[in-house]
Amino acid sequence: AEYLRLPHSLALIRLRNPPVNALSLAVVNGIREGLQKAMSDHTIKAIVVCGANDKFCAGADISSFSRSSPGISFGVVVDEIQRYEKPVVAAIRGVALGGGLELALGCHYRIAHAEARVGLPEVALGILPGARGTQLLPRLIGVPMSLDLITSGRPVGADEALKLGILDVVINSDPVEEAVKFSQEILDKPLEPRRLLNKSVPSLPNMDSIFSEAFAKVQKQYPGFLAPETSIQALQAAVNLPYKLGIKEEEKLALYLQKSGQARALQYVFFAESSVHKQSPPSVASWQTASPQPISSVGVLGLGTMGRGIAMCFAKAGIPVVAVESDPKQLEIAKKAVTSMLEREASKMQQSGRAWTKPTLTFSSSADMLCESGRFGQKTGKGWYQYDKPLGRVHRPDPWLSEFLSQYRETHHLESRSISQEEILERCLYSLINEGFRILGEGIAASPEQIDIIYLSGYGWPRYRGGPMFYAATVGLPVVLEKLQKYYTQNPDVPQLEPSDYLKKLAAHGNPPPKDWQSLAGPPGSKL
Ligand code: CAA
């Protein structure tokens, strides 16, 4: 943070930490030093705080979170600013997010450009606004709106922030110039009414029900996420405790979240999302460099409406097709339909004088024992379970299936055993993770982050667990490898459980973090 003396007895503290003026230790120290200089200089009457490069501040430095606990020490600075004996005015351009907004809340006045955005997005990182945000915001704008902004993490535009009372002035010109003019107008005004820490939270008669509704809402809206609920507890502390004790509670809750696995996962996701936007696929797997491989034959599983169409397409292109259909009735129908479609095609082509070579269509029937008995799952009302009706959703165990399975075990000399929930989870998750390592090894995905972001965005993987590859690192790669080896030995007929070479290479290095995997495992052996 730079310190500058301005005309008219003013000082300027400008945060400068590209790209977003995050509150690194150096920036925080710079702010404190600037405040001390301005205090000891009797010619300085007021201070303006702003950020360089058209951004106020995007909060604590997320990249340093694994090294230190954010917010807690910065809260002391926010209090120092509030208690400061000279007026401090925040001049906001761009964003004031997280610790950036907390810094502004510590200032006695807030002026912002009309295009600025302010907010406390910490919940998205699995933490809470731990530099007094949960204690100061409700004192300024009341509990209901603070609950909304803090539990959702949504930033608001300057106009909305002005209406809510977060900002004092919104302008279309340069906020620093405006703040300089404004500072001179408020020089003689008492500072005490501007110190949020000495105010109480506006009270409402139905505070208990407001909080219980808020808990119910976040449990429904963000199931499994710790940060929104914990933020509500911090807001309760703002209402129930004096400031001095409220900030202690905020610190305690912030530390609890910061140490949680959810915070680590969500912070990984923040950087993973940002990096996948910048990544290009590995050169070996790029559509720009890959060349098409000749296709000698095609397999189509299932001859329903789509399967028939797909089989037809390839047959028309002169590519041999093997189509597999388990239901003999469906197979007959499909045979007739495909043959008549092909014949129609042939006669059209003959009429137009083009040559027609009759294609190789081979059908074979698969022996899926359940399906052969007509048990296609929900749509037929029975499958692994019995359903209340075809397409029904209410399932119950089926004695037929127990009988079927015991015969099956007898035939194949299998021992029945109970399978623990842990084994079910591990076999599902670790085989999925194993496939992730395979596609990294083959260069199909450019990075573990890409796989994780696809799982978060496309498959509903819980965001607070970071994605399957991050999860593997959380469990520990040697553990994943050992478990896969164990399950594969027990189930050699399940190829998904055979540990991939890529995983073996990495586990030999212990448990390296995902960002180091590619450099440790070497270049992918592409199959593309
Ligand atoms: N700390 C460290 N780096 C940050 C950062 C932060 N708070 N915010 C953004 N960055 C980095 C990004 O990682 C990115 O870096 P690279 O160019 O090296 O990849 C760069 O700044 C630019 O960010 P974007 O690509 O996201 O740029 P954008 O213009 O699309 O968005 C933004 C800018 C709105 C500030 C967005 O980056 C953002 O939402 N950042 C997170 C803000 C946040 O969550 N702040 C709260 C921090 S926690 C806190 O403050 C705790 C507390 O109580 C003190």
Side-chain angles (χ1 to χ4, degrees):
E2 304 161 331
Y3 178 79
L4 290 144
R5 294 195 54 185
L6 300 181
H8 312 295
S9 307
L10 295 181
L12 182 79
I13 296 176
R14 187 192 283 133
L15 280 56
R16 187 183 288 281
N17 184 15
V20 291
N21 302 324
L23 295 165
S24 64
L25 197 61
V27 171
V28 174
N29 286 339
I31 297 171
R32 291 187 101 171
E33 281 164 24
L35 291 170
Q36 277 155 14
K37 274 189 203 157
M39 186 49 81
S40 53
D41 184 339
H42 297 294
T43 63
I44 298 295
K45 300 275 183 253
I47 294 142
V48 172
V49 180
C50 70
N53 300 322
D54 293 340
K55 285 184 189 81
F56 186 71
C57 170
D61 183 356
I62 304 168
S63 59
S64 72
F65 277 8
S66 50
R67 299 191 291 278
S68 63
S69 39
I72 289 158
S73 56
F74 187 62
V76 174
V77 184
V78 172
D79 284 348
E80 280 172 8
I81 301 175
Q82 297 194 71
R83 296 201 175 95
Y84 206 67
E85 294 297 337
K86 299 178 183 183
V88 185
V89 181
I92 301 168
R93 210 187 241 287
V95 288
L97 297 175
L101 179 57
E102 289 167 312
L103 168 65
L105 292 176
C107 298
H108 304 113
Y109 298 92
R110 288 160 288 279
I111 293 181
H113 189 271
E115 283 170 14
R117 283 182 305 135
V118 304
L120 295 172
E122 282 87 343
V123 284
L125 300 168
I127 53 173
L128 56 73
R132 315 298 192 242
T134 64
Q135 305 303 298
L136 296 180
L137 194 66
R139 285 174 160 77
L140 185 64
I141 66 169
V143 169
M145 273 322 291
S146 301
L147 277 168
D148 174 19
L149 295 189
I150 291 177
T151 61
S152 70
R154 80 180 167 96
V156 290
D159 285 340
E160 189 178 349
L162 181 70
K163 279 191 205 128
L164 291 173
I166 298 174
L167 299 174
D168 300 297
V169 180
V170 171
I171 35 95
N172 270 307
S173 46
D174 178 8
V176 175
E177 278 177 23
E178 291 297 330
V180 165
K181 281 189 230 151
F182 182 84
S183 304
Q184 289 160 61
E185 289 161 21
I186 46 94
L187 279 183
D188 299 327
K189 297 210 170 150
L191 281 180
E192 189 49 28
R194 307 299 308 177
R195 293 189 175 112
L196 294 177
L197 82 178
N198 290 338
K199 286 181 184 266
S200 51
V201 177
S203 73
L204 290 168
N206 53 343
M207 211 56 109
D208 284 348
S209 61
I210 291 175
F211 279 115
S212 24
E213 275 166 30
F215 278 118
K217 189 176 163 195
V218 297
Q219 276 157 6
K220 194 165 169 219
Q221 218 165 344
Y222 314 105
F225 283 80
L226 291 174
E229 274 191 61
T230 313
S231 305
I232 300 178
Q233 290 171 19
L235 282 160
Q236 275 181 315
V239 173
N240 298 329
L241 301 173
Y243 187 75
K244 218 166 57 181
L245 297 180
I247 60 174
K248 290 265 172 290
E249 189 64 13
E250 183 192 75
E251 277 179 19
K252 195 181 90 193
L253 295 168
L255 205 60
Y256 156 71
L257 284 179
Q258 184 58 26
K259 287 191 166 165
S260 71
Q262 292 204 359
R264 273 194 296 280
L266 289 164
Q267 286 153 29
Y268 162 82
V269 170
F270 173 81
F271 287 110
E273 277 180 336
S274 158
S275 79
V276 295
H277 286 128
K278 293 173 196 154
Q279 279 168 10
S280 53
S283 56
V284 283
S286 159
W287 61 269
Q288 286 159 318
T289 53
S291 52
Q293 301 294 300
I295 297 169
S296 53
S297 67
V298 165
V300 178
L301 296 184
L303 282 174
T305 317
M306 279 183 69
R308 280 175 231 166
I310 293 167
M312 267 287 295
C313 265
F314 285 107
K316 270 169 66 182
I319 296 170
V321 181
V322 177
V324 179
E325 172 52 61
S326 58
D327 180 343
K329 247 203 275 166
Q330 179 80 342
L331 182 63
E332 265 318 298
I333 299 169
K335 256 187 196 175
K336 281 191 193 129
V338 173
T339 311
S340 87
M341 273 195 279
L342 288 173
E343 276 168 3
R344 272 205 310 275
E345 196 68 27
S347 82
K348 264 198 264 166
M349 288 182 81
Q350 273 158 3
Q351 276 164 23
S352 64
R354 281 177 289 160
W356 165 257
T357 330
K358 194 165 187 253
T360 56
L361 202 52
T362 318
F363 297 91
S364 65
S365 188
S366 86
D368 183 326
M369 293 169 86
L370 279 189
C371 292
E372 269 176 8
S373 322
R375 303 179 69 94
F376 294 110
Q378 278 184 357
K379 67 178 172 185
T380 52
K382 52 189 180 175
W384 292 106
Y385 292 98
Q386 221 172 36
Y387 294 86
D388 51 333
K389 54 180 185 231
L391 294 174
R393 290 188 163 265
V394 184
H395 65 278
R396 61 195 147 88
D398 189 343
W400 182 93
L401 193 86
S402 313
E403 181 55 29
F404 165 80
L405 289 178
S406 75
Q407 275 175 18
Y408 184 87
R409 277 196 298 269
E410 219 175 283
T411 317
H412 297 278
H413 309 290
L414 297 172
E415 288 277 318
S416 75
R417 67 180 175 102
S418 51
I419 300 179
S420 68
Q421 208 161 356
E422 188 191 2
E423 180 175 342
I424 296 172
L425 267 180
E426 286 178 350
R427 282 176 56 180
C428 291
L429 294 179
Y430 295 171
S431 52
L432 189 161
I433 287 166
N434 200 29
E435 185 60 23
F437 282 115
R438 282 208 183 104
I439 66 172
L440 279 176
E442 288 167 6
I444 291 170
S447 68
E449 287 91 350
Q450 282 194 347
I451 299 174
D452 283 338
I453 296 306
I454 285 169
Y455 264 87
L456 297 180
S457 317
Y459 292 90
W461 184 281
R463 216 175 151 80
Y464 56 79
R465 292 208 198 284
M469 307 322 282
F470 178 84
Y471 182 71
T474 312
V475 175
L477 301 192
V479 177
V480 176
L481 176 61
E482 187 200 309
K483 291 284 174 101
L484 279 169
Q485 261 155 352
K486 178 179 129 189
Y487 292 131
Y488 185 54
T489 311
Q490 288 169 356
N491 307 277
D493 56 328
V494 184
Q496 291 86 344
L497 292 171
E498 184 181 7
S500 78
D501 290 342
Y502 198 86
L503 168 62
K504 285 186 202 158
K505 268 194 224 166
L506 289 176
H509 292 275
N511 187 31
K515 68 179 169 46
D516 295 343
W517 288 357
Q518 277 155 310
S519 60
L520 289 172
S526 175
K527 286 196 179 162
L528 292 182

